[in-house]
Amino acid sequence: MRLFLRLGWFFRAHRATYAAALGMLTLVAALNMIIPWLVARAVDRVVATPDQPERTYALLWILAASALVIYLMRIGWRRMLFGTSYRLGHQLRKALYARLCAQGQAFYARHNTGDLMARATNDIDAIEIAAGEGILSGFDGALTFILVLLMMFAVIDWRLALVALIPFPLMGYCFYRISTRIHHQFHDALEAFSELNDMTQESMTGIRLIRSMGLEAVQTGEFNQLSDRAAGINYQVARSEAMYEPVVFLSLGGAMLLTLSYGAWLIVDAQLSVGELTGFTLYLVQLIWPMFAFGWLLNIVERGSAALIRVESLLDTPDSVSDDGTLAPQQVQIQVRNLCFHHLEEQTDTLRGIDFALASGQRLGIAGPTGAGKSTLIQLLMRYWELDDPRMILLAGQPLTAYRLKQLRNCFAYVPQDPFLFSLSVGENIALYRPDAAMNEIRRAAGIAAIAEEIEHFPEGYDTPVGERGIALSGGQRQRLAIARAILTDAPILILDDALSAVDSRTEQQILQRLQQEMRDRTSIIISHRLSTLRQCDNILVLAHGELIESGPHNALVSRDGWYARMWTYQQLEADLDDATH
C-alpha cells in the first residue's frame, strides 16, 4: 500500500471530506449487517408462529427504513469520495503541466510528446481511480469483512465461522500472486501505450508528408505492430485480472459447502436453528463483496502504483534550466565571450570559441551553412539550454542566470523558421502574447508583416480559424503571421531565425523595409541563408561547423575572399539568371 503513503499529502489536505465519506460508508456497512440478522429473526418468528404474521411487520418496517438510509448514504459518500479523487487528478495535471512548462530543450530532447501525453492522461486516470475506488474498496471491504466476521462469530456460531473460513488463506495467497503479476504487466502496458500514442501523434502531425511520399502502407504496418504489441500486453493484464473472480467464487463456494454441511449437522444435533443457518448463509454471501473489493483493490492499487512511478519521475525531474535569478533586465546589451557548448551526450562541441558584442538598438546578422550552430546560438541567448560557465554570455554585464527566467525571456520576440500556430483565429494568433491588444494594433502588426491585405481576403477576415498548427495557411502566411505576433509583443529584441525563407524576395524586402522603420529603437537578430536579407545589418557573423569564421558588415565581408563573399556572388548570379529567365 505504498501508493497511499506516497499520496498522503493529498489525503491529509482533504481529511475532512474523506472522514465524512468514510463515516457514511461505516453507517452503510453497519446497516447492511443488521439486515441478515433481521431476516433471521423474521424466519424464526414465521417458523415459530406461522398463524401470526403481524409479529413480523415491525421487522419489515425496520428493513424498509434501513434500505432507504443505505440508499441516501450511498449517494452521499459517492459524491464526496469520487469528487475528491477527481481533484487529485486535477492537481496532478496542473502540477505536471507546470513542470513541463518550466523545462528546457534538454528535457524535451529526452522525452517524446506521445509519452508525455500518455502520462498526463492514462497514468493520472489510473492514480485518480486508486484514490477514489481504491479507498472505497479498501475501507468498505475491510469494514464489511470485519463486521461480517463479528456477526458470524459473536452472534450466530463461532464454530461454524471457523469452518467457513478454511478456504480463505488459499485465496489470500492467490491474490498476492495475481497482484504482483499485474503490477509488472500494467507497467509494460503503460509503456506500450506511450509508444503507440507517440507514433499516432507523429503520424497525425506529418500526415501530409506521409501522403506525399506514399508511405501510408509503411506507417500502417509500423502502427499495426505497435498496436498488436499494446493489445497483447493489455490482453495479458486482462487475463490476470480475470483470475480474481474464479478465485473468489471457488473460495466462497468451498466456504458455502463447508457451512451447509457442518450447519446441517448442527441443526440435526439441535445446536443451531434454521433461522440462524439462514442468517449465517446471508452473512457468508455478504463476504462476496469484501473478497471482490480486495481483488479490485489490489488490481487498481497496482495500476495506480505503476502509473504514479511514471508521473513522479517527471514531477521529480529537476529543471533542465534553473530559475534562481533575482534580477529583471533593464538594458539589452549582449556580450558573448569564448562561447563553447555541446548538446547532451555529444562529445564534440556544437559551438566553439564564439565571441561578439551586440549593443542596444543594433542589427546583428548570422549566416552560415546548414548545421553551423546558428539556431543553437540563438537558443543559448534565450537560455533554452544551460551553459557550463554562465559568464560566457552576459546581458547588461550580468550572466543570464542572474535574471528571472520569465523576465529574461520577455526580452525576446522569437520567430523560428517553422513557427507554431494554435488552433485559434488569425487575430487571436497575432495577439497571443497580448490578448488585450486593440484591433487597430493587430492590423498594424499584420501590415508591417505584409499579410494584412491577404487577411482581408480570408472568408472571415481576422476571425478566420487557422486550423491545427495553422494547416489552413501556406508556409509563407504562417511565417508572416508569426512575425506580426512578434512585432505586437513589443519586446526589446526581435529574433528572426530564417523566418522569411518561405516568402519571395520581393515580399521579403518589403517586410525588411517596414521592420527597419519599426525597429529603429529596438535590437534585432536576423538569421538567413539569403544574404540579401542581411545587407543592412550593422554586424554579420558567419558560422561554420560551430566556429566563427568571419564577422563584420556586409561590404567588408564581400570584399574578402571568404565563405560570405563566395556565397554572395553565387546568390547574385542565381538572381540574375532568374531575372533573365522571367
Side-chain angles (χ1 to χ4, degrees):
M1 298 302 169
R2 288 173 294 177
L3 172 69
F4 296 131
L5 293 177
R6 293 208 296 267
L7 292 177
W9 59 271
F10 179 78
F11 297 138
R12 286 190 295 271
H14 297 274
R15 54 182 174 271
T17 306
Y18 273 103
L22 296 180
M24 292 181 183
L25 272 172
T26 303
L27 180 58
V28 169
L31 291 174
N32 279 327
M33 294 305 102
I34 294 175
I35 290 175
W37 180 79
L38 292 173
V39 172
R41 292 288 301 275
V43 170
D44 281 340
R45 284 188 183 184
V46 170
V47 170
T49 56
D51 56 339
Q52 300 178 21
E54 64 277 0
R55 293 186 61 189
T56 63
Y57 289 164
L59 295 175
L60 294 177
W61 279 111
I62 295 174
L63 280 170
S66 299
L68 178 62
V69 173
I70 289 172
Y71 173 75
L72 295 175
M73 290 296 102
R74 279 180 173 167
I75 292 176
W77 68 252
R78 282 176 182 272
R79 292 186 63 180
M80 287 188 172
L81 194 59
F82 294 146
T84 306
S85 70
Y86 296 151
R87 291 179 192 158
L88 172 61
H90 178 58
Q91 284 186 236
L92 287 176
R93 286 189 178 92
K94 288 199 301 182
L96 187 60
Y97 185 78
R99 294 295 299 118
L100 295 179
C101 289
Q103 292 291 356
Q105 298 291 84
F107 174 85
Y108 291 101
R110 293 191 297 266
H111 294 86
N112 294 326
T113 303
D115 176 58
L116 297 176
M117 291 172 61
R119 299 193 196 205
T121 52
N122 258 27
D123 292 25
I124 291 181
D125 284 343
I127 299 168
E128 187 179 288
I129 291 173
E133 296 188 26
I135 295 293
L136 161 66
S137 303
F139 181 83
D140 194 33
L143 181 62
T144 302
F145 185 74
I146 292 170
L147 291 177
V148 167
L149 291 184
L150 183 64
M151 297 298 290
M152 291 167 66
F153 274 92
V155 177
I156 299 183
D157 191 284
W158 64 271
R159 297 166 300 175
L160 190 60
L162 283 176
V163 171
L165 292 178
I166 289 175
F168 281 60
L170 179 61
M171 183 181 66
Y173 173 74
C174 292
F175 276 10
Y176 168 76
R177 293 292 301 272
I178 296 170
S179 65
T180 302
R181 183 185 303 174
I182 286 177
H183 176 81
H184 298 293
Q185 290 175 341
F186 189 68
H187 182 272
D188 293 340
L190 291 174
E191 294 290 342
F193 178 78
S194 290
E195 293 178 12
L196 185 63
N197 203 37
D198 193 55
M199 183 175 181
T200 303
Q201 186 268 334
E202 287 184 349
S203 298
M204 294 301 100
T205 303
I207 189 65
R208 288 186 291 185
L209 176 64
I210 292 172
R211 287 176 176 172
S212 65
M213 300 188 68
L215 296 175
E216 293 93 338
V218 176
Q219 290 294 108
T220 300
E222 293 181 6
F223 179 85
N224 289 341
Q225 287 182 357
L226 288 177
S227 182
D228 290 343
R229 178 174 176 270
I233 296 174
N234 279 289
Y235 172 73
Q236 296 293 331
V237 174
R239 190 167 67 174
S240 298
E241 291 174 349
M243 296 175 67
Y244 280 118
E245 188 172 331
V247 170
V248 170
F249 278 114
L250 285 173
S251 300
L252 289 177
M256 185 66 74
L257 178 63
L258 293 172
T259 296
L260 293 176
S261 300
Y262 185 59
W265 183 83
L266 290 176
I267 291 174
V268 171
D269 201 38
Q271 298 184 49
L272 194 71
S273 70
V274 174
E276 287 175 327
L277 181 59
T278 302
F280 188 92
T281 305
L282 291 176
Y283 281 121
L284 190 60
V285 170
Q286 285 203 14
L287 283 180
I288 292 177
W289 159 241
M291 296 306 102
F292 272 117
F294 293 149
W296 180 236
L297 171 65
L298 292 173
N299 180 14
I300 61 178
V301 164
E302 293 304 336
R303 285 171 171 262
S305 180
L308 186 61
I309 290 172
R310 284 164 46 88
V311 172
E312 283 187 335
S313 69
L314 290 184
L315 294 176
D316 295 339
T317 302
D319 291 344
S320 55
V321 177
S322 62
D323 190 11
D324 302 322
T326 58
L327 304 178
Q330 301 298 323
Q331 298 176 323
V332 292
Q333 296 94 342
I334 295 174
Q335 186 175 5
V336 176
R337 304 186 301 188
N338 194 30
L339 174 62
C340 297
F341 174 76
H342 62 86
H343 287 98
L344 300 178
E345 305 301 326
E346 292 182 6
Q347 299 299 320
T348 58
D349 287 337
T350 306
L351 295 171
R352 292 183 300 277
I354 306 296
D355 287 277
F356 69 90
L358 178 62
S360 178
Q362 282 190 330
R363 289 167 293 177
L364 176 69
I366 303 178
T370 301
K374 302 183 294 295
S375 295
T376 301
L377 174 59
I378 294 303
Q379 292 173 2
L380 288 171
L381 294 180
M382 295 184 289
R383 205 173 163 225
Y384 285 178
W385 303 86
E386 286 284 37
L387 292 169
D388 294 333
D389 181 3
R391 298 198 64 82
M392 287 190 289
I393 300 180
L394 302 178
L395 179 65
Q398 296 290 333
L400 301 184
T401 52
Y403 298 101
R404 293 192 297 272
L405 202 55
K406 182 179 180 181
Q407 299 294 331
L408 173 67
R409 301 262 173 87
N410 284 343
C411 289
F412 298 91
Y414 177 48
V415 185
Q417 180 179 0
D418 186 19
F420 187 92
L421 299 182
F422 289 89
S423 301
L424 303 170
S425 68
V426 170
E428 287 171 325
N429 267 287
I430 294 175
L432 187 65
Y433 297 125
R434 287 185 54 198
D436 58 340
M439 196 61 210
N440 63 318
E441 294 179 293
I442 296 174
R443 292 178 188 276
R444 178 177 175 277
I448 295 172
I451 195 173
E453 188 174 333
E454 293 176 46
I455 294 175
E456 296 296 340
H457 289 88
F458 287 167
E460 300 175 57
Y462 286 86
D463 294 325
T464 303
V466 302
E468 185 177 3
R469 299 176 64 94
I471 195 171
L473 305 178
S474 69
Q477 288 172 332
R478 288 197 297 271
Q479 285 187 338
R480 284 176 287 160
L481 211 63
I483 292 172
R485 180 167 62 194
I487 292 168
L488 193 62
T489 61
D490 203 29
I493 302 176
L494 173 66
I495 298 177
L496 303 180
D497 187 354
D498 215 6
L500 296 169
S501 59
V503 301
D504 59 82
S505 57
R506 176 177 166 276
T507 305
E508 177 192 47
Q509 292 304 317
Q510 186 180 5
I511 295 172
L512 290 174
Q513 289 174 5
R514 296 175 182 179
L515 281 176
Q516 186 174 354
Q517 298 175 356
E518 177 68 19
M519 300 295 294
R520 280 195 302 268
D521 300 322
R522 296 162 65 185
T523 305
S524 56
I525 302 175
I526 302 173
I527 297 176
S528 180
H529 288 93
R530 196 181 291 167
L531 301 186
S532 58
T533 306
L534 309 178
R535 290 185 64 176
Q536 302 302 321
C537 291
D538 299 302
N539 187 29
I540 300 172
L541 308 179
V542 180
L543 303 181
H545 305 294
E547 296 181 345
L548 181 60
I549 58 173
E550 293 181 272
S551 66
H554 172 78
N555 291 334
L557 292 174
V558 169
S559 65
R560 303 171 191 168
D561 185 22
W563 181 93
Y564 188 94
R566 291 192 296 272
M567 185 57 64
W568 171 257
T569 302
Y570 172 79
Q571 291 184 3
Q572 289 299 108
L573 289 172
E574 190 177 53
D576 292 340
L577 286 174
D578 286 342
D579 291 340
T581 303
H582 294 88

